[in-house]
C-alpha cells in the first residue's frame, strides 16, 4: 500500500507532541466563550489534553469549536479534536498511574502494572491480559482477539503481550504473586528483572517525555552486538547476553517500552523486523541492526507477505487503519534535532538523538 495514496486525500495528523497535558484546572465560561484555567491561574492556549480529549485554544484562551483549527485539524461542537468525525481519545497512560504513592526502586513497577495481569481461562495460570494464547475466541482466531482488544479500547499498549521469562520478570518487579511461570531458572528471571530494574531506575520514567523514553530504549538495546543465530531472538539475549538479531532487538524494545508505558510494535516483512514506537502520537521507526542514531517516521501501512504472495497489512497497520491514524507528511519543528536526508530516494526526516 502506497503511503502517498494514504496521505494524499487526508489531512496531516495532529502532532500531539505540541499539546500540553493539563493535569489540573477548571473550565470557565465567559458569555458564549469557553476557556480552561490552569491551576496557576493562567489560561490554556494551543492544543491541550483535558480529561482524555484534545482541545485547541487561541492566544486569548478561547476554545475553538465546530471548525478547522489554524493548523488544519477538525474540532467538533464540543471543541474536541476529531478525525473523520471520531473523537480522538488519549490512550491510557500507564506511567500516569505510577505517579501515585511512593516509588520503590526495588519494585519500580508496583502500583500500576497489576492491571495487566489476569488468570488465564485456558491454563488457570498468571497471564498477560492481551496475550491471545490465553483466551478463547471465535474460530480460535486468537491474534484477531488481541487486535480487536487494542482497537476496541483504542489502546496501542495492548498490541504487545508477554509470557514466560519476561512475564515472570515483570511480575517480580511488580511484586505480583504470579503462578504457573515455571520453565526458567530463578537466576534467569532475576537477571532479567535486575536489568529492567536498572533501566527503570536510570531515569525518572514516570515524568519523562515519550521522546526521552524512546531515545533511552534505542540506546539501551544497541548495547547488544548484532548476531544472527539461534538463541539471539529474545529480549533476554539482547539485554543479558548482549547479543541480538533483529527479533532480539525488537523484543527487547517491546519489553522496555511496555515497562515505561510507551506503545511499541514491530514492523518489517520477510526475514527482517524492527521496532516502531508511538512518540507523542507519531509512530517512529528505529533500526537497531545498523545502530542508527536517529528515528524516522514509520510507514505503518507497509504490507507483509504472510500468506504466500497475498499482501496484507501488518498488525500495526491494521490497528492504525481502524483507528484513523494518518502518517504525517512533516514533523519539522515538532521533535528535537530534526535533520533531513533521503531514504529510498525520498526526502525524509531524521530525528537524531546523539
Amino acid at each position: 500500500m502506497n503511503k502517498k495514496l494514504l496521505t494524499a486525500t487526508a489531512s496531516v495528523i495532529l502532532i500531539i507532541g505540541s499539546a500540553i497535558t493539563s493535569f489540573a484546572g477548571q473550565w470557565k465560561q465567559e458569555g458564549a466563550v469557553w476557556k480552561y484555567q490552569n491551576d496557576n491561574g493562567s489560561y490554556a492556549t494551543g492544543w491541550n489534553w483535558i480529561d482524555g480529549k484534545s482541545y485547541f485554544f487561541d492566544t486569548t484562551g478561547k476554545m475553538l469549536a465546530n471548525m478547522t483549527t489554524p493548523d488544519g485539524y477538525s474540532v467538533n461542537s464540543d471543541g474536541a479534536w476529531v478525525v473523520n468525525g471520531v473523537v480522538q481519545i488519549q490512550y491510557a497512560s500507564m506511567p500516569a498511574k505510577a505517579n501515585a504513592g511512593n516509588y520503590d526502586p526495588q519494585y519500580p513497577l508496583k502500583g500500576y502494572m497489576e492491571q495487566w495481569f489476569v488468570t488465564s481461562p485456558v491454563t488457570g495460570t498468571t497471564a498477560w491480559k492481551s496475550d491471545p494464547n490465553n483466551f478463547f475466541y471465535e474460530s480460535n482466531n486468537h491474534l484477531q482477539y488481541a487486535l480487536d482488544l487494542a482497537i476496541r479500547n483504542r489502546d496501542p499498549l495492548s498490541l504487545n503481550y508477554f509470557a514466560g521469562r519476561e512475564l515472570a520478570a515483570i511480575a517480580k518487579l511488580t511484586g505480583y504473586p504470579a503462578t504457573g511461570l515455571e520453565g526458567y531458572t530463578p537466576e534467569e528471571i532475576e537477571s532479567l528483572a535486575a536489568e529492567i530494574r536498572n533501566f527503570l531506575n536510570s531515569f525518572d520514567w514516570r515524568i519523562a517525555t515519550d521522546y526521552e523514553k524512546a531515545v533511552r530504549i534505542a540506546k539501551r538495546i544497541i548495547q547488544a552486538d548484532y548476531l544472527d543465530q539461534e538463541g539471539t531472538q529474545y529480549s533476554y539475549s539482547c539485554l543479558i547476553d548482549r547479543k541480538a538479531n533483529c527479533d532480539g532487538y525488537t523484543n527487547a524494545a517491546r519489553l522496555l517500552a511496555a515497562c515505561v508505558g510507551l506503545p511499541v510494535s514491530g514492523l518489517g516483512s520477510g526475514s527482517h523486523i524492527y521496532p516502531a514506537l508511538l512518540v507523542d502520537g507519531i509512530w517512529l521507526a528505529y533500526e537497531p541492526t545498523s545502530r542508527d542514531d536517529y528515528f524516522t517516521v514509520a510507514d505503518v501501512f507497509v504490507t507483509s507477505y504472510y500468506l504466500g504472495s497475498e499482501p496484507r497489512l501488518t498488525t500495526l497497520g491494521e490497528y492504525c487503519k481502524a483507528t484513523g491514524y494518518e502518517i504525517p507528511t512533516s514533523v519539522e519543528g515538532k521533535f528535537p534535532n530534526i535533520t533531513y536526508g533521503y531514504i529510498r530516494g525520498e526526502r525524509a526526516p531524521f530525528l537524531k538523538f546523539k
Side-chain angles (χ1 to χ4, degrees):
M1 186 175 295
N2 191 306
K3 180 173 68 174
K4 291 182 179 179
L5 295 178
L6 285 165
T7 56
T9 59
S11 62
V12 180
I13 189 171
L14 164 69
I15 307 298
I16 301 176
S18 63
I20 301 174
T21 302
S22 295
F23 294 104
Q26 58 182 324
W27 288 99
K28 296 280 189 176
Q29 186 174 16
E30 298 178 359
V33 173
W34 282 97
K35 297 183 176 182
Y36 191 82
Q37 188 173 36
N38 298 314
D39 58 354
N40 63 3
S42 66
Y43 285 97
T45 59
W47 286 103
N48 287 255
W49 284 108
I50 302 172
D51 297 329
K53 299 177 184 178
S54 193
Y55 301 85
F56 186 88
F57 302 86
D58 67 15
T59 55
T60 69
K62 175 186 175 181
M63 183 196 76
L64 303 190
N66 204 28
M67 62 182 297
T68 300
T69 63
D71 49 353
Y73 306 103
S74 299
V75 290
N76 65 12
S77 58
D78 294 325
W81 171 41
V82 294
V83 174
N84 297 325
V86 178
V87 175
Q88 299 301 289
I89 305 298
Q90 188 178 30
Y91 60 79
S93 175
M94 292 201 296
K97 297 185 179 181
N99 287 322
N102 295 323
Y103 182 76
D104 186 344
Q106 185 65 21
Y107 298 97
L109 300 179
K110 188 175 181 63
Y112 78 95
M113 188 65 89
E114 291 90 337
Q115 66 174 313
W116 291 91
F117 288 98
V118 297
T119 298
S120 168
V122 178
T123 64
T125 60
T126 300
W128 195 256
K129 76 173 185 179
S130 57
D131 184 346
N133 295 315
N134 290 291
F135 299 93
F136 297 105
Y137 193 73
E138 294 178 6
S139 304
N140 291 320
N141 192 343
H142 304 301
L143 292 177
Q144 189 63 46
Y145 173 92
L147 179 61
D148 287 350
L149 180 68
I151 292 173
R152 183 172 66 250
N153 295 333
R154 302 187 69 82
D155 181 8
L157 290 167
S158 296
L159 291 171
N160 294 294
Y161 51 89
F162 304 96
R165 199 161 40 189
E166 294 172 318
L167 186 59
I170 294 172
K172 180 176 284 290
L173 296 175
T174 306
Y176 190 87
T179 60
L181 299 179
E182 296 83 7
Y184 300 97
T185 68
E187 291 77 17
E188 286 180 304
I189 296 172
E190 179 54 44
S191 294
L192 186 56
E195 203 62 42
I196 300 171
R197 183 186 294 114
N198 290 339
F199 175 76
L200 294 173
N201 291 335
S202 67
F203 69 112
D204 195 344
W205 56 274
R206 298 169 300 164
I207 62 173
T209 64
D210 287 355
Y211 190 81
E212 181 182 359
K213 294 174 185 177
V215 168
R216 286 183 176 271
I217 290 167
K219 288 184 175 181
R220 176 61 189 85
I221 64 177
I222 61 171
Q223 290 180 24
D225 294 326
Y226 177 72
L227 181 62
D228 188 14
Q229 67 179 34
E230 177 59 34
T232 62
Q233 68 268 40
Y234 306 109
S235 61
Y236 185 93
S237 59
C238 179
L239 299 176
I240 305 302
D241 299 331
R242 305 295 177 95
K243 296 179 176 61
N245 60 14
C246 60
D247 287 294
Y249 287 123
T250 302
N251 287 328
R254 291 181 194 269
L255 178 58
L256 296 179
C259 289
V260 297
L262 188 66
V264 60
S265 189
L267 283 176
S269 60
S271 60
H272 185 61
I273 190 172
Y274 53 91
L277 303 118
L278 186 60
V279 179
D280 291 328
I282 304 299
W283 287 100
L284 298 181
Y286 179 63
E287 180 51 80
T289 58
S290 57
R291 312 184 79 81
D292 285 347
D293 61 354
Y294 58 85
F295 300 106
T296 57
V297 176
D299 190 352
V300 296
F301 296 100
V302 66
T303 55
S304 293
Y305 295 85
Y306 294 126
L307 306 174
S309 60
E310 180 183 349
R312 55 170 287 186
L313 291 175
T314 61
T315 299
L316 179 56
E318 291 184 42
Y319 173 82
C320 289
K321 182 178 180 181
T323 54
Y325 176 80
E326 298 161 7
I327 301 172
T329 56
S330 174
V331 292
E332 192 165 12
K334 302 300 182 180
F335 295 103
N337 305 322
I338 293 178
T339 58
Y340 281 81
Y342 287 86
I343 298 178
R344 295 186 298 276
E346 294 187 15
R347 189 168 182 265
F350 293 169
L351 284 72
K352 296 186 72 67
F353 56 79
K354 284 187 180 179

